[in-house]
Amino acid sequence: MARFWRSALALATAVVTCGLTACSSPHRYPAVPSDIADRAIALNNPAIRSWYLPMHEEFLDEIRRVSVLELKVREEAGQTGPLPTAYYLAISGGGANGAYGAGLLCGWTARGDRPNFKVVTGISTGALTAPFAFLGPAYDDRLKHVYTTVTTDQICTKRGLLSAFYDDALMDTAPLRKLMAELIDEQMMRDIAKEYAKGRLLMVATTNLDANRAVVWNVGAIASSGHPDALGLIHKVLAASAAIPAAFPPVMIDVEVDGKQYQEMHVDGGAKAQVFLYPPTLQLKTSGAAAGMDRQRAAYIIRNSRLDPEWADVERLTLSIAGRAIASMIQTQGVGDLYRIYVITQRDGVAYNLASIPSTFDKKPKEDFDPVYMSALFDVGYQQALTGDPWTHTPPGYIAADAGMDQAAVQHPGGQ
């Protein structure tokens, strides 16, 4: 995504110039004042979203309510005995590198032991992958299509030079919105709602720029709401999670407080984190036992990036230097997220499994979304899952003081 960040920097320079020449900006409705931002709701439903930290109680209550629906489903099916292992999947950002995670999931299907995930989360390109991953192998063909055939002009088109002065981004993402409307349709939303009723969760994250805070969206709750604008909101949330600031336009989401209408500006969830598993507030081990859901748990984290530092011959130019520094900060942030997740999983007794793009993959794209590059990366993930074990069980560089202290990883689960 280096090209997009250089574009963003160029736009930032233009914004400064614009400020000096008194340019006008795109219209927006009033932002939610900071003193009432906690009470803003979308679709007239306080349970469909929350700050990542601290979480709204209505949101947490809904998560807890849905999580235990699995017990009812098992009872109605006459299933007895201990609960099976619960599997969690977290998919990171990474732009076109999302082809790696897509390939890994499809290869996992071909291997024959891909689990039915209890929880799926996504950020940025991971948010676009997450609905397909959540619904399982039946949607693998759509997932592969997105990450092996789609070109840059099917994601975005360049705006004119004056957009740097008068608009909110250098690119127009109308093609991406059109693609999402074709792939994520009413039937897919009904399928998500059906799985939600079984006690499964699909969550994605965006960044609320007005509040400068991460927001977690319960996509299953949106799909199940019955609201006429539910599908439109799902499209907006997914587009927002992947909206690279300044390169892609922000997504304006309508909310209300005490009956008064406002608009929030949402952008890429990667502005706050590259990947998340579940909010630490939940404390799965203790809360699960209290709800009668004592069980083994295993988390799988797909980091759509290399974890080793990549060498580059940086030009002695302002935008090249700044772009390289931003890319470095994103990479470091991603590693920090992996450590944060590791701490939470160890606290809650959740097995930790991490996959990332191998350092041996050194192909370069010819454009931001290059089908040849993405197909090659898709194949890397596919082959890793099909023929080997792509998973490591600690964050990069971590060595436990006592290896026996770490949770044993659950590998190749086989059953559900």
Side-chain angles (χ1 to χ4, degrees), residues 39 47 49 60 121 159 170 173 176 190 225 320 359 364 368 375 384 387 399:
R39 296 193 285 117
R49 66 170 200 166
L60 287 172
T121 70
R159 289 173 170 171
L170 288 181
T173 51
L176 175 60
R190 287 193 292 270
S225 68
S320 294
S359 59
K364 303 297 180 185
D368 287 299
S375 293
Q384 275 192 336
T387 64
I399 300 175

Side-chain angles (χ1 to χ4, degrees), residues 80-167:
T80 59
L83 288 171
T85 299
Y87 297 101
Y88 300 77
L89 176 67
I91 313 169
S92 85
N97 284 347
Y100 169 74
L104 191 150
L105 288 165
C106 291
W108 204 348
T109 297
R111 183 184 172 93
D113 56 4
R114 175 176 163 183
N116 191 33
F117 295 103
K118 173 79 170 174
V119 177
V120 176
T121 70
I123 283 180
S124 196
T125 196
L128 300 180
T129 303
F132 304 102
F134 179 74
L135 293 175
Y139 280 85
D140 278 1
D141 286 345
R142 291 195 200 185
L143 182 60
K144 181 178 180 180
H145 170 76
V146 171
Y147 283 102
T148 60
T149 68
V150 170
T151 59
T152 302
D153 60 6
Q154 291 176 282
I155 299 295
C156 59
T157 56
K158 290 183 179 180
R159 289 173 170 171
L161 180 62
L162 291 180
S163 66
F165 297 92
Y166 299 112
D167 224 321

